[in-house]
Amino acid sequence: MLAQSAESINYLAVFVAALSSFVIGGLWYSLLFGKAWMVENNFDEEDMKNGHMGKIFGGAFILSLIISIVLVLFLGPDRNGMIGASAGFTAGLFWVATAMGITYLFERKSTKLFFINAGYHVVTFTLMGFILGVWR
């Protein structure tokens, strides 16, 4: 991990980058792939209504903040938009998606579900990296 001081981290950018995962997720898992995602998970509308939304969304935001903090530390103080987006894309595709792929293979989950979920993370990490790179 690159050493950097707390002063080189824009904490508002960290927050916005974490929040961006919710914007992408809202579009990804509703308008773009919501129905297919529900089918692949064997969810119906009733399942969606019975979830503990505070726990799900609160936990997801905390995890997104952790991702954002670690990503900005990984990017280092000499970052820019291109470095951030490239590093985010690389982390999303070659670390997150491939790790998910291993799990999906052993859990025998569908390839379609893998591409929906892994694609979300690749796009999210890319945008988060861009935000953190540009907004220093």
Side-chain angles (χ1 to χ4, degrees), residues 26-106:
L27 294 170
W28 200 268
Y29 289 105
S30 64
L31 297 175
L32 297 174
F33 303 106
K35 290 185 191 290
W37 178 80
M38 286 177 58
V39 167
E40 293 302 309
N41 278 300
N42 296 315
F43 291 157
D44 59 24
E45 293 295 331
E46 194 64 30
D47 293 323
M48 302 311 292
K49 290 177 186 174
N50 290 333
H52 190 292
M53 291 304 161
K55 180 180 176 182
I56 293 168
F57 282 95
F61 187 71
I62 290 168
L63 294 171
S64 293
L65 273 174
I66 293 168
I67 292 167
S68 187
I69 290 166
V70 173
L71 186 54
V72 78
L73 291 171
F74 178 75
L75 292 173
D78 297 325
R79 59 193 179 271
N80 60 41
M82 186 58 144
I83 290 170
S86 297
F89 175 80
T90 301
L93 183 62
F94 296 109
W95 287 337
V96 178
T98 56
M100 288 177 66
I102 293 167
T103 303
Y104 274 51
L105 286 169
F106 280 97

Side-chain angles (χ1 to χ4, degrees), residues 1-13:
M1 188 176 331
L2 299 174
Q4 65 180 321
S5 65
E7 295 85 39
S8 71
I9 298 173
N10 181 331
Y11 292 98
L12 182 57

